[in-house]
Amino acid sequence: MPKPGPRLRLVDVAERAGVSLATASRALAGRDGVSEEVADRVRQVSRELGYVANPFARTLAGGASTTVGLVVHQVDDPYFSEIAGGVIQLADQQNLLVQICHSGRDPDHELRQIRHLIAQRVGIIIIAGSGYSDPRLEAEAKAELGAYQQAGGRVAVIGRHSLGADAVLPDNEAGGLALGSHLLQLGHTRIAVVAGTEALTTVADRLAGVAAALHGHGLSLAGLPVVHTDFIREGGREAAERILRDHPDTTAIIALNDAMAMGVLSVLRERRIPVPGRMSVVGFDDVSVAADLAPALTTVRLPMTDMGRMALELALKPRAARSRRRSTGHRLIVRDSTAAPGHLPPYSPHS
Amino acid sequence: MPKPGPRLRLVDVAERAGVSLATASRALAGRDGVSEEVADRVRQVSRELGYVANPFARTLAGGASTTVGLVVHQVDDPYFSEIAGGVIQLADQQNLLVQICHSGRDPDHELRQIRHLIAQRVGIIIIAGSGYSDPRLEAEAKAELGAYQQAGGRVAVIGRHSLGADAVLPDNEAGGLALGSHLLQLGHTRIAVVAGTEALTTVADRLAGVAAALHGHGLSLAGLPVVHTDFIREGGREAAERILRDHPDTTAIIALNDAMAMGVLSVLRERRIPVPGRMSVVGFDDVSVAADLAPALTTVRLPMTDMGRMALELALKPRAARSRRRSTGHRLIVRDSTAAPGHLPPYSPHS
DNA sequence: ATAGATTGCGAAAGCGCTTTCGTAAGCGCT
DNA sequence: AGCGCTTACGAAAGCGCTTTCGCAATCTAT
């Protein structure tokens, strides 16, 4: 790995401005103890020379860190990249740098990333994405982050409530309920759920919402196929194939996120199963492409960009005595992937 | 901004291992000048104590930087997030941290981000996304990066050739040619091009390919509507509306990236213009959702994930005397959004 | 006027690491 | 035994910044 070379230092600026190093530092940091006149001169020289402070030295010397670490499950998943977009939007305004780390949906890796960020001494850590239901791992992460916060670090989490930090929380349960109710009202009863990894709390929450909807109609989740696979497109594909094979009379599929819904749709398209004619499909999140899919996906909208922004806002605010929670709105977006059942004869794998 | 608190330092490890600070540093860095026995002891203690070096101090002291800065035009554009995925994949393997910055497609902002990364003393900078045709800005960025490389920094660029650095280059012109030829062979002649920002070199290259295809069939780009808008979905929408208004007899639209193609498709869907029956549409890039669109998009596939990986590989290799170029394959992927023209009567805005 | 409180600034001490330089010990050679 | 040469390690100097501390100079109060 290379090492960068000589650069303009603060001493150079100080010299050119005819002041001491200390004064120059104070002037640029906006600390007082410097006359307006001198401060102006320093700022002026600094601008002329195009001086940019070395953040490593600054941080090392105990200065404030200006980078925010963002941990996501997967960078190239639209759900996370939209959240990242929101974080970056606000960070840019505040002149903060965002460092994105991805955990690959592996709780151990996530913990390692968090440790790394803490070691980096970033000032703010934002953790996006569902928590894991393994209590040991959550506890470990929580302890690590607790010490970090104790030491002055700021933490905010998105879509997760178990980390003892300020949180931005979509109402996953209510969303699940809305989705379930929508399908039930259309008249579906043979509903299958593509649930994603069992280890994710988000999955559990959304599932609980679906269960509640069913309960309201005198049905139960226990009687329906619930397939746990990976929380990504490929997982949706697998689940869809299993459902078509084992429960060919299913008329509606609830995927607990849009990525999996896209996988489901792709399988249905390959098999030429009409959506929504023969099968209704719903997703969750409303990622930006959901509206462009074939057919346009009925889903629950979460304001991902706002969620990212809100999380950074929370982290930026002075730390409160107890962790704050901000919940986000959600809205059922009905598009073309759902309809009443029974428009077409049921699918037969051998036809 | 908070400052993190006290942490385990290298001296602590050294003390516990009964060696000097210097020896501990050497042992952990794998430098020689330390006996195997002592080195083992230090590593052992370090592991037991869970020591993680402070990268700021390390970098400041002239050590190797382990973070790579990735500059993209827009984080939440799938084209870039797939590239980022590739970079991160390899970086993770190499135990490097990736810091993603986005420039918002603004060359000035991009330059600022680059300066920031250099100031951060990251060891590697990867710049993804088209260059700008403004020669002044490119020159400035090039100068900045040149000095950085002079000083030992590593730079790689993706899809851009003007920065005097190792580059991963998709053959945009050949891709444009493939797209043009495909439509011409289907029999289209009233083709419109949705070109994206004029200031991007990628746009110019792809356009040149289209022009070459036309030329081969005795046609010329000059005779066709070429609409320059933003290189994103919304730009595609605008362009599509303009084309439908001003050139209602168009039978095929070439969008120079998938994002804009998605915008085009969304407008056509709203107006209930059948694709490909009445209008064929092609994109460029083959982002992962392209296959799931309505209809599935005919496009040119670029291996974005590989491109990200390749760029980091190039940057990791010892610097060559002159900048290296690796070109990527591309492949026309014919899906359902293209067909021969004239299957249906032309669109009339007043029907 | 003089003591005490401000204010504006410079000197210098770190932050935690890497690296250079110096030294003591161990080696083979004459 | 004496010489150089290598090897293993410690002391100490910095990397570029922030901050504490102390000292003039200036100001307020008596």
Side-chain angles (χ1 to χ4, degrees):
Chain A
M1 210 89 343
K3 14 176 164 175
R7 288 175 28 82
L8 195 66
R9 291 156 314 159
L10 184 52
V11 246
D12 303 327
V13 175
E15 229 160 72
R16 277 267 270 161
V19 298
S20 79
L21 181 59
T23 304
S25 171
R26 280 187 281 251
L28 293 183
R31 296 251 175 302
D32 45 32
V34 189
S35 64
E36 258 321 301
E37 188 197 323
V38 170
D40 269 347
R41 184 148 38 94
V42 173
R43 278 193 288 266
Q44 170 72 15
V45 170
S46 157
R47 211 167 321 115
E48 272 171 16
L49 265 48
Y51 169 72
V52 182
N54 177 336
F56 289 83
R58 169 176 289 170
T59 306
L60 183 55
S65 160
T66 62
T67 109
V68 3
L70 173 63
V71 182
V72 301
H73 283 193
Q74 176 125 6
V75 266
D76 50 355
D77 176 329
Y79 174 74
F80 291 105
S81 53
E82 287 179 33
I83 286 179
V87 172
I88 290 181
Q89 234 175 56
L90 181 55
D92 268 2
Q93 277 172 32
Q94 306 273 342
N95 235 319
L96 300 171
L97 258 135
V98 177
Q99 175 170 327
I100 302 176
C101 309
H102 93 155
S103 64
R105 299 187 310 287
D106 170 358
D108 282 313
H109 197 183
E110 181 180 77
L111 190 55
R112 230 173 306 140
Q113 295 282 21
I114 291 174
R115 288 219 174 96
H116 225 121
L117 285 171
I118 294 178
Q120 292 252 37
R121 311 208 147 204
V122 305
I124 293 178
I125 296 179
I126 295 178
I127 300 170
S130 175
Y132 301 95
S133 37
D134 180 339
R136 193 187 51 77
L137 282 164
E138 290 289 307
E140 215 163 311
K142 183 171 177 175
E144 205 92 9
L145 289 170
Y148 171 70
Q149 292 184 76
Q150 211 52 258
R154 298 283 174 66
V155 181
V157 301
I158 299 174
R160 185 164 182 165
H161 30 251
S162 52
L163 255 31
D166 292 344
V168 175
L169 297 169
D171 193 339
N172 286 313
E173 197 165 332
L177 190 132
L179 241 27
S181 304
H182 171 63
L183 290 176
L184 288 162
Q185 274 164 23
L186 284 174
H188 291 275
T189 52
R190 292 194 301 278
I191 300 172
V193 183
V194 176
T197 320
E198 204 155 5
L200 298 175
T201 56
T202 298
V203 168
D205 294 347
R206 294 182 180 179
L207 209 47
V210 173
L214 289 168
H215 194 76
H217 285 243
L219 293 170
S220 150
L221 205 56
L224 301 178
V226 175
V227 183
H228 286 282
T229 53
D230 232 357
F231 212 39
I232 55 178
R233 185 176 188 277
E234 200 41 50
R237 287 187 54 90
E238 268 179 59
E241 299 197 338
R242 214 182 308 165
I243 289 166
L244 290 176
R245 191 189 60 215
D246 301 342
H247 304 273
D249 57 347
T250 300
T251 64
I253 295 180
I254 300 181
L256 293 185
N257 75 3
D258 287 351
M260 294 190 304
M262 285 166 61
V264 169
L265 286 177
S266 74
V267 168
L268 295 175
R269 190 176 333 116
E270 283 169 18
R271 308 237 184 152
R272 313 214 176 287
I273 299 175
V275 178
R278 166 63 190 84
M279 184 81 80
S280 288
V281 176
V282 299
F284 202 119
D285 290 341
D286 196 26
V287 299
S288 68
V289 295
D292 291 328
L293 295 176
L297 189 67
T298 293
T299 187
V300 166
R301 171 173 301 170
L302 255 34
M304 275 88 77
T305 307
D306 288 346
M307 286 159 62
R309 214 179 17 69
M310 283 163 69
L312 182 51
E313 264 169 19
L314 275 180
L316 244 23
K317 275 192 194 153
R319 178 138 170 68
R322 41 164 312 192
S323 51
R324 291 159 296 201
R325 312 197 154 199
R326 295 242 309 251
S327 47
T328 70
H330 69 275
R331 216 173 91 211
L332 180 69
I333 307 286
V334 178
R335 295 205 182 89
D336 313 329
S337 66
T338 47
H343 285 184
L344 291 175
Y347 168 71
S348 150
H350 306 296
S351 68
Chain B
M1 210 87 347
K3 12 176 164 177
R7 286 173 29 80
L8 195 66
R9 290 156 314 159
L10 183 53
V11 247
D12 303 327
V13 175
E15 228 160 73
R16 277 267 269 160
V19 297
S20 79
L21 181 60
T23 302
S25 170
R26 278 188 281 251
L28 293 182
R31 294 253 175 298
D32 45 33
V34 188
S35 64
E36 259 320 301
E37 189 198 322
V38 172
D40 269 347
R41 184 148 38 95
V42 173
R43 278 193 289 265
Q44 169 71 13
V45 170
S46 157
R47 211 167 319 115
E48 272 171 16
L49 266 48
Y51 171 71
V52 181
N54 177 336
F56 287 83
R58 168 176 290 172
T59 307
L60 183 56
S65 159
T66 61
T67 109
V68 3
L70 172 63
V71 182
V72 302
H73 283 192
Q74 178 126 5
V75 267
D76 50 357
D77 176 329
Y79 174 76
F80 291 105
S81 53
E82 287 180 31
I83 287 179
V87 172
I88 289 181
Q89 235 175 55
L90 181 56
D92 269 3
Q93 277 172 34
Q94 306 273 343
N95 234 319
L96 300 171
L97 258 135
V98 177
Q99 175 170 329
I100 302 177
C101 311
H102 93 155
S103 64
R105 298 187 311 287
D106 170 356
D108 282 313
H109 196 184
E110 181 180 77
L111 189 57
R112 230 172 307 140
Q113 294 283 21
I114 291 174
R115 288 219 175 94
H116 227 120
L117 285 171
I118 294 178
Q120 292 253 39
R121 309 207 149 206
V122 305
I124 293 178
I125 296 178
I126 295 178
I127 299 169
S130 176
Y132 301 95
S133 38
D134 180 338
R136 192 186 52 77
L137 283 164
E138 290 290 305
E140 214 162 314
K142 183 172 177 175
E144 205 92 9
L145 289 170
Y148 170 71
Q149 293 183 78
Q150 211 52 256
R154 297 286 172 66
V155 180
V157 301
I158 298 175
R160 185 163 184 167
H161 31 251
S162 51
L163 254 31
D166 293 344
V168 174
L169 296 169
D171 194 339
N172 286 313
E173 198 166 331
L177 190 132
L179 242 25
S181 303
H182 171 63
L183 290 175
L184 288 162
Q185 274 164 23
L186 284 174
H188 292 276
T189 53
R190 292 193 300 279
I191 300 172
V193 182
V194 177
T197 321
E198 205 155 5
L200 299 175
T201 56
T202 297
V203 168
D205 294 347
R206 295 182 180 178
L207 209 47
V210 173
L214 290 167
H215 194 75
H217 285 243
L219 294 170
S220 152
L221 205 56
L224 301 178
V226 175
V227 183
H228 287 282
T229 54
D230 232 357
F231 212 39
I232 54 177
R233 185 177 187 278
E234 198 42 48
R237 289 186 54 91
E238 268 180 57
E241 298 197 337
R242 214 181 310 163
I243 289 166
L244 290 176
R245 191 188 62 212
D246 301 342
H247 304 273
D249 57 348
T250 300
T251 64
I253 296 179
I254 300 181
L256 293 185
N257 74 3
D258 287 350
M260 294 189 305
M262 285 167 61
V264 170
L265 286 177
S266 73
V267 168
L268 295 174
R269 191 178 329 117
E270 283 169 17
R271 308 239 184 149
R272 314 214 176 289
I273 300 175
V275 178
R278 165 64 189 87
M279 183 81 80
S280 287
V281 176
V282 299
F284 202 119
D285 290 341
D286 196 25
V287 300
S288 67
V289 294
D292 291 327
L293 296 176
L297 188 66
T298 293
T299 187
V300 165
R301 171 174 302 168
L302 256 32
M304 274 89 75
T305 307
D306 287 346
M307 286 159 61
R309 216 181 15 70
M310 284 164 69
L312 182 51
E313 265 169 17
L314 274 180
L316 246 22
K317 277 193 193 152
R319 178 138 170 68
R322 42 163 312 188
S323 50
R324 291 158 296 201
R325 310 193 158 203
R326 285 213 353 223
S327 45
T328 70
H330 69 276
R331 217 173 90 211
L332 180 69
I333 307 287
V334 179
R335 296 204 183 90
D336 312 329
S337 67
T338 48
H343 286 183
L344 292 174
Y347 168 71
S348 150
H350 307 295
S351 68

